[in-house]
Amino acid sequence: MSDQTSEMKLAVMGAGGRMGGALIRAINETPNAVLVAAIDQEGAPSIGQDSGTLSGIGENGIAISSNLEAGLDACDGVIDFTVPQATVALSKKVAAHNCIQIIGTTGCTEQEDAQIASSANNVTIIKSGNMSLGINLLAVLVEQAASALQAADFDLEVLEMHHKHKVDAPSGTALLLGEAAAKGRGIELAENSVRSRDGITGAREDGTIGFATLRGGSVIGDHSVILAGAGERIELSHSAQDRSLFATGAVKAALWGFGKPAGLYSMRDVLGF
């Protein structure tokens, strides 16, 4: 990482994909952020193409490359919306290159999350199941509602829908909201979540947090947290209509994290919630 200046030099992982393109556009539109490397996996169709042209902002002279080491050498921070295995591997490299990592990757196992947390002992890592302002505000509201409306009176369900190509379920955002609800009720999500119901399941167990997953079409991301009581129901919802909001949040997180001490941070930290 170069000495801190007025501009933060950023690299984008998965630069040839839809999210990669959104990140490149967001960096281009953000003062004090500059793209210095666009990285994709070896053999990807995007390799060698101009990242600006591919993302729709016009030629920027930065070709998409599979040379991760060169990209990390050139940047102050790397934004990573890829897959868990690649994200964990990257978290082990960023400290050696003295750059920070912003993680929007979802679907990590507990073991993978633990590996990322271990890497954060030596480097600044910002990780969130969702980078949008709205979702993180929603999580705060869910925590408050879950605390105020206790399990004896209100059952809590998390409903999410995404496009048909999404490979992990429940979504990282749904889990983020579930964790907020569990925190509000002073319980552990892992011990109280219900991920599926099929057949004769019996009555709903008090205190559990249910998840329902829908997949189809081109839905970017719809999430609702439902608190159902006797004779009344409260719904807290968020609908994402453009991937740019995640990209904008990730770039904001990168600028916030520039120069911060080593540690694992979240978007709540970035946004001051």
Side-chain angles (χ1 to χ4, degrees):
M1 181 174 71
S2 60
D3 292 337
Q4 185 169 353
T5 65
S6 59
E7 287 189 327
M8 184 178 187
K9 299 175 182 178
L10 293 171
V12 170
M13 297 293 293
R18 290 177 298 180
M19 195 63 217
L23 288 165
I24 291 169
R25 291 191 294 273
I27 292 169
N28 184 63
E29 295 166 0
T30 303
N32 300 323
V34 59
L35 181 73
V36 296
I39 304 163
D40 214 336
Q41 61 183 346
E42 188 172 353
S46 62
I47 298 297
Q49 296 189 55
D50 183 270
S51 60
T53 301
L54 196 62
S55 65
I57 63 173
E59 187 173 346
N60 63 6
I62 300 175
I64 297 178
S65 170
S66 60
N67 191 337
L68 174 60
E69 298 294 328
L72 294 180
D73 279 339
C75 75
D76 299 310
V78 55
I79 304 179
D80 174 22
F81 283 71
T82 55
V83 296
Q85 185 177 8
T87 293
V88 171
L90 180 61
S91 75
K92 297 176 180 179
K93 291 178 176 288
V94 288
H97 291 268
N98 200 25
C99 59
I100 73 174
Q101 183 181 12
I102 297 86
I103 301 174
T105 302
T106 60
C108 293
T109 64
E110 288 186 15
Q111 182 180 12
E112 288 164 337
D113 279 335
Q115 290 176 294
I116 292 168
S118 177
S119 295
N121 290 325
N122 302 304
V123 68
T124 302
I125 296 179
I126 303 167
K127 184 178 185 296
S128 179
N130 193 299
M131 295 285 180
S132 83
L133 170 62
I135 280 290
N136 284 279
L137 176 57
L138 177 61
V140 173
L141 297 175
V142 167
E143 181 180 334
Q144 293 175 343
S147 176
L149 306 173
Q150 288 297 313
D153 301 312
F154 284 84
D155 300 317
L156 201 151
E157 297 281 314
V158 181
L159 172 65
E160 58 105 340
M161 182 171 186
H162 283 81
H163 54 86
K164 63 183 180 182
H165 301 293
K166 187 168 179 60
V167 298
D168 58 303
S171 70
T173 304
L175 294 173
L176 181 153
L177 295 172
E179 289 286 1
K183 183 178 180 182
R185 290 194 166 164
I187 60 175
E188 293 295 327
L189 180 63
E191 298 169 5
N192 293 278
S193 68
V194 176
R195 304 293 180 87
S196 63
R197 297 185 178 101
D198 185 38
I200 307 300
T201 61
R204 188 186 196 283
E205 185 177 345
D206 288 343
T208 55
I209 296 174
F211 290 85
T213 298
L214 307 178
R215 294 286 179 266
S218 59
V219 177
I220 292 173
D222 291 344
H223 295 84
S224 295
V225 175
I226 302 167
L227 294 110
E232 60 181 333
R233 185 173 69 247
I234 300 166
E235 295 188 22
L236 302 170
S237 300
H238 179 273
S239 179
Q241 300 175 7
D242 192 320
R243 283 182 180 81
S244 65
L245 66 95
F246 308 128
T248 299
V251 177
K252 179 183 178 73
L255 293 174
W256 178 89
F258 196 18
K260 289 288 190 299
L264 182 62
Y265 300 91
S266 72
M267 280 301 288
R268 283 206 191 190
D269 297 312
V270 175
L271 298 170
F273 290 156

